[in-house]
Amino acid sequence: MAVHFVLEGSLVYQDSDDSRSLKDKKGPPEENTADDTKAESDEETKPQASPAEDGGDVEDACKEDRPDSAASKADEKGPKLTNKFNFSERASQTLNNPLREKSCQTEPPPRSIFSAMANQWEIYDAYHKELQKQEKNKEKQKAPCSKKDDDKSKKKDMWLETLSDDVITNLSKATKIIERMVNQNTFDDIAQDFKYFEDESDKFRDEEGTLLPLWKFQHDKAKKLSVTALCWNSKYQDMFAVGMGSYDFSNQGHGMVAFYTLKNPSYPEYIYATNSSVLCLDIHEQHSFLVAVGFYDGCVAVYNLKETGAEPVYKSTAKTGKHTDPVWQVCWQNDDMDNNHNFYSVSSDGRVVSWTLVKNELVYTDIIRLSVVSDGPEGAQPHSFTCGTSFDFHKQIDYLFLVGTEEGKIHKCSKTYSSQFLETYDAHSMAVDAVKWNHYHPNVFISCSSDMTVRLWDHTINTPLFTFDLNAAVGDVAWSPYSSTVFAAVTTNGRVHVFDLSINKYEAVCQQVVVAKKNKLTHIRFNPIHPIIILGDDRGYVTSLKLSPNLRKQPKLKKGQELPKGPEVEVAKMEKLLSLLREPEQSSI
Amino acid sequence: MAEVEETLKRIQSQKGVQGIIIANSEGIPIKTTLDNSSTVQYAALIHQLVMKARSTIRDMDPQNDLTFLRVRSKKNEIMIAPDKDYFLIVIQNPSD
């Protein structure tokens, strides 16, 4: 049997016993039928509920309670009603769960204490970085990006690169500074001498001067090489270039170009090793990072100091017209009309060649061929060439230059006439080692040779003005940049001769042995602003010497007169000398 | 990098140089030719000095910066060349 629905009813049958007992109990007035029915229903439910109740105590209690209310009701209703309400309060207490406290704590975030000061410069730096960031962003926006992934990886790489580059460059700069500082300490006395020492005894020696030895520059790898070229840098006047190689025909090896600075005498700033001996070099006046070099094998090359790398940026090859014989001299010229840099070279193959730096190439132009003027029958073509051993360009007149040859002749040439010389001077009996125009006077030049003489010329006159016999082969001669009458010459017996024609026309003002007699001096140069000279010898040493005050004399003035400066004074000085020479000639004639 | 190494070797071989220390911007030595305890001491103390010196120069003119610092004492000379992230300390006794 399945029970689907059970509902307990509350109806009582009229004639049943139950209903009769109920009626008896009630005994109700018929007025309160509403209440009665309520009471009835309650009573009815109560007796039904009573057997379900737990305790009779509760019943009694309720009945006791109720009689009060029943009594109140009974007053109104008559007979006392026993209240059948079983007001039972039921309460039960559930189990109190034991309280447990459970908590979890995360690992605290890593902390570091940060403190900084907001200085003016920190703020400035922050703004600067912002600016740079903005500029970089602008650049990136301008450059079209192809793939985003590539960009991201590129950005990462750049970041890494810049970090390590910064580190390296920072350290390299700091190490350079430190090296110079350490050297300054080591050579402190020399540095003090260079700057401040003036030989007091020159006041007592009227016509003599001395040379004070300062630093000595040498490089381990250049010990067997002789100094073949020297050149001061016109922009950084403490820096000079040394070309090294060998003059010995039979003993040719590699060569080297080294750049030293007076601030660091122990190691060169830049070194370039070359396959063939370096015979000459020249630093460009405006762009002092460009160096032109001439080699023993006839090549010319241009190095760019700004570029890293040991190779020259331009080099002449057999195809591009290199010389077939050693290149004895190179000289930078002013930029040509297309603003290309160009330089000239002279070589033993008898050609004076102009090289122009056009983009990535070196373009050559033969300027002049040093042909031998033969006394043969007219019409015979001179087909042999003499070897040019030195040249120099006029300071003011751009197209005029002098070439010294191996036969001892000096030719005055012009850049525009390629077949003929303007003039030829029979200068020396041996090869002309150096020929130099005077820095101030436009007519005067000087030449030196292995025939042990130094000769002074006026280019309008065919014969020398002065001749000085120095008892040993003269390697090099140089005019001083501060005076038109001072020049210095070096000889192979290790001597330096300094002449000042305004003081003494016949003898050197200073003759000094500067290096050991075994070492032959090969080159000499005056520094453009400091009163020092550098000498190169054939052992790879470069010695620097300071000129004493007597060698740097400015023309004396009467009291009260202003000191006139400028090249005019120097020109006047020279002119005075020359006029003295001309007068006796005129008088003799 | 090799050039830097070479230059450092040359400095070390100069007359009178007692030691070289390379420290980072926080005063922690990275490379040194002296013993450990002196290195740490030098680096920490000199770091403070360099910071103070640099702060002085830059406070006067933010576009200026410290190039190098020389501290000459009775016994020797300490030369410091600071840069953005590192500084180089060389101790030399010039009268050796």
Side-chain angles (χ1 to χ4, degrees):
Chain A
M1 189 185 74
V3 177
H4 289 282
F5 180 64
V6 173
L7 174 66
E8 283 183 3
S10 57
L11 293 170
V12 178
Y13 186 60
Q14 238 181 353
D15 291 341
S16 70
D17 295 31
D18 281 352
S19 67
R20 267 184 236 136
S21 64
L22 277 171
K23 275 182 187 171
D24 289 340
K25 278 184 188 172
K26 269 197 282 183
E30 291 164 31
E31 298 166 357
N32 295 330
T33 47
D35 292 326
D36 289 345
T37 50
K38 271 190 189 173
E40 270 181 11
S41 63
D42 287 330
E43 280 168 30
E44 281 164 6
T45 52
K46 277 302 161 185
Q48 278 183 343
S50 57
E53 277 175 22
D54 288 348
D57 303 342
V58 181
E59 244 182 281
D60 292 337
C62 291
K63 280 179 182 167
E64 280 172 10
D65 285 338
R66 264 293 151 185
D68 296 336
S69 57
S72 59
K73 273 196 179 175
D75 289 339
E76 292 175 32
K77 294 168 192 177
K80 191 179 174 185
L81 293 168
T82 51
N83 199 334
K84 288 252 171 99
F85 282 125
N86 281 337
F87 226 43
S88 62
E89 198 176 297
R90 281 182 115 190
S92 67
Q93 184 154 18
T94 56
L95 267 174
N96 279 340
N97 285 331
L99 282 174
R100 295 256 153 88
E101 205 174 286
K102 197 172 187 187
S103 66
C104 70
Q105 188 172 13
T106 56
E107 218 177 274
R111 269 185 262 177
S112 61
I113 296 175
F114 171 81
S115 71
M117 296 229 294
N119 281 326
Q120 195 179 4
W121 53 271
E122 295 233 7
I123 299 170
Y124 173 85
D125 273 348
Y127 272 112
H128 210 59
K129 269 185 192 170
E130 262 305 305
L131 240 172
Q132 283 182 344
K133 256 189 197 175
Q134 281 180 6
E135 278 173 17
K136 272 186 187 173
N137 282 338
K138 275 185 196 170
E139 282 177 21
K140 280 177 185 171
Q141 280 174 8
K142 279 182 189 172
C145 316
S146 51
K147 288 179 188 174
K148 280 190 181 175
D149 295 10
D150 285 340
D151 275 344
K152 276 183 190 170
S153 58
K154 271 180 201 170
K155 278 179 195 173
K156 274 186 191 171
D157 287 335
M158 269 175 60
W159 181 71
L160 282 171
E161 271 176 89
T162 46
L163 191 65
S164 52
D165 274 341
D166 276 343
V167 167
I168 290 174
T169 48
N170 278 346
L171 263 187
S172 72
K173 202 178 169 195
T175 45
K176 254 196 175 168
I177 292 175
I178 283 268
E179 197 186 359
R180 288 187 181 189
M181 283 162 72
V182 170
N183 273 310
Q184 195 181 1
N185 273 345
T186 321
F187 298 108
D188 185 45
D189 42 356
I190 298 180
Q192 300 284 342
D193 280 346
F194 159 74
K195 197 75 185 175
Y196 302 116
F197 180 75
E198 302 290 352
D199 200 345
E200 296 292 321
S201 55
D202 265 12
K203 290 179 193 167
F204 309 109
R205 288 191 296 232
D206 216 8
E207 295 196 349
E208 273 182 43
T210 50
L211 297 167
L212 180 74
L214 296 173
W215 301 282
K216 207 166 184 184
F217 302 88
Q218 62 178 100
H219 188 48
D220 288 333
K221 293 182 189 167
K223 269 188 180 164
K224 292 182 186 171
L225 302 170
S226 48
V227 173
T228 54
L230 289 173
C231 187
W232 284 100
N233 190 319
S234 45
K235 192 172 173 196
Y236 299 105
Q237 277 132 351
D238 57 281
M239 199 166 175
F240 61 92
V242 183
M244 288 190 256
S246 168
Y247 281 124
D248 194 356
F249 173 73
S250 47
N251 188 13
Q252 280 298 316
H254 62 288
M256 196 180 280
V257 178
F259 286 79
Y260 284 94
T261 167
L262 299 178
K263 296 176 189 170
N264 183 355
S266 57
Y267 198 77
E269 298 289 307
Y270 301 97
I271 308 179
Y272 296 97
T274 60
N275 290 333
S276 146
S277 290
V278 172
L279 282 183
C280 53
L281 56 80
D282 192 26
I283 302 179
H284 199 285
E285 269 192 41
Q286 283 91 36
H287 308 278
S288 56
F289 50 89
L290 288 176
V291 187
V293 182
F295 295 99
Y296 199 93
D297 62 0
C299 285
V300 290
V302 177
Y303 285 88
N304 187 336
L305 293 180
K306 279 190 182 174
E307 311 238 337
T308 53
E311 287 304 307
V313 286
Y314 298 94
K315 194 161 183 180
S316 69
T317 59
K319 287 183 198 169
T320 60
K322 80 174 181 88
H323 291 281
T324 50
D325 272 331
V327 179
W328 291 100
Q329 196 112 30
V330 286
C331 192
W332 283 103
Q333 297 299 303
N334 295 329
D335 287 354
D336 63 10
M337 286 186 288
D338 301 325
N339 282 339
N340 289 327
H341 305 305
N342 62 339
F343 64 94
Y344 278 62
S345 67
V346 67
S347 151
S348 287
D349 64 356
R351 287 160 57 210
V352 176
V353 179
S354 153
W355 304 85
T356 313
L357 272 63
V358 179
K359 287 186 191 173
N360 292 336
E361 289 177 334
L362 213 53
V363 178
Y364 82 100
T365 323
D366 267 359
I367 294 298
I368 199 162
R369 293 211 160 206
L370 305 167
S371 48
V372 177
V373 177
S374 55
D375 293 327
E378 288 179 13
Q381 295 287 329
H383 49 257
S384 59
F385 302 104
T386 63
C387 311
T389 50
S390 57
F391 70 174
D392 195 24
F393 288 81
H394 198 278
K395 311 285 174 214
Q396 285 96 32
I397 306 171
D398 196 37
Y399 58 82
L400 194 63
F401 66 97
L402 298 163
V403 182
T405 64
E406 208 174 325
E407 273 124 36
K409 295 205 172 110
I410 299 180
H411 302 288
K412 185 167 74 172
C413 316
S414 161
K415 288 185 193 175
T416 45
Y417 290 110
S418 65
S419 51
Q420 262 198 337
F421 307 128
L422 295 174
E423 184 105 35
T424 304
Y425 309 91
D426 281 323
H428 293 274
S429 45
M430 288 181 71
V432 178
D433 280 330
V435 59
K436 296 268 164 71
W437 286 102
N438 189 306
H439 290 280
Y440 296 98
H441 200 285
N443 287 356
V444 176
F445 67 90
I446 198 170
S447 68
C448 77
S449 156
S450 313
D451 67 355
M452 304 186 198
T453 55
V454 173
R455 289 176 199 225
L456 210 82
W457 306 79
D458 181 324
H459 78 95
T460 52
I461 303 172
N462 241 344
T463 50
L465 299 169
F466 290 97
T467 306
F468 302 98
D469 194 343
L470 298 178
N471 293 327
V474 185
D476 197 8
V477 69
W479 287 105
S480 73
Y482 50 83
S483 165
S484 64
T485 51
V486 176
F487 65 89
V490 285
T491 56
T492 48
N493 56 1
R495 274 175 182 257
V496 181
H497 307 260
V498 183
F499 289 81
D500 187 345
L501 296 174
S502 55
I503 297 177
N504 190 333
K505 285 204 286 283
Y506 305 105
E507 279 182 351
V509 174
C510 170
Q511 272 187 25
Q512 201 167 326
V513 178
V514 199
V515 289
K517 284 212 172 165
K518 281 190 223 166
N519 297 359
K520 301 173 195 171
L521 288 171
T522 50
H523 283 278
I524 181 172
R525 286 286 183 277
F526 281 84
N527 183 303
I529 50 170
H530 301 296
I532 59 174
I533 50 174
I534 42 171
L535 316 163
D537 68 6
D538 69 342
R539 287 293 181 90
Y541 294 121
V542 176
T543 320
S544 59
L545 302 154
K546 186 168 184 182
L547 300 160
S548 71
N550 267 351
L551 303 171
R552 305 184 249 133
K553 263 192 185 167
Q554 303 292 326
K556 274 187 187 169
L557 296 150
K558 296 172 193 170
K559 284 184 189 174
Q561 255 187 350
E562 283 179 13
L563 190 70
K565 290 202 175 179
E568 297 85 35
V569 185
E570 303 294 333
V571 176
K573 223 181 5 166
M574 201 63 191
E575 213 31 65
K576 199 173 149 191
L577 260 175
L578 298 177
S579 61
L580 284 171
L581 280 173
R582 287 188 206 126
E583 272 172 20
E585 286 178 18
Q586 285 174 356
S587 65
S588 65
I589 291 167
Chain B
M1 235 5 231
E3 275 188 40
V4 174
E5 294 279 351
E6 259 190 58
T7 316
L8 288 173
K9 269 190 213 163
R10 284 202 303 270
I11 296 173
Q12 177 71 30
S13 62
Q14 279 277 342
K15 185 180 80 164
V17 170
Q18 289 169 352
I20 305 179
I21 304 169
I22 305 179
N24 73 353
S25 51
E26 287 163 26
I28 300 169
I30 295 173
K31 197 171 180 189
T32 174
T33 58
L34 297 170
D35 57 287
N36 207 6
S37 52
S38 337
T39 303
V40 171
Q41 210 176 7
Y42 264 113
L45 293 168
I46 288 177
H47 170 65
Q48 293 176 31
L49 184 64
V50 170
M51 286 299 123
K52 195 71 188 176
R54 192 183 233 160
S55 179
T56 313
I57 301 274
R58 297 210 74 192
D59 263 344
M60 309 272 255
D61 175 10
Q63 292 187 330
N64 205 354
D65 198 5
L66 188 63
T67 315
F68 64 79
L69 197 61
R70 274 183 194 255
V71 182
R72 195 147 197 173
S73 69
K74 281 188 202 165
K75 294 190 183 172
N76 50 22
E77 178 163 351
I78 305 171
M79 288 168 276
I80 308 144
D83 257 313
K84 252 193 294 180
D85 303 317
Y86 293 86
F87 56 96
L88 202 57
I89 307 165
V90 173
I91 303 135
Q92 185 188 23
N93 192 343
S95 53
D96 259 346

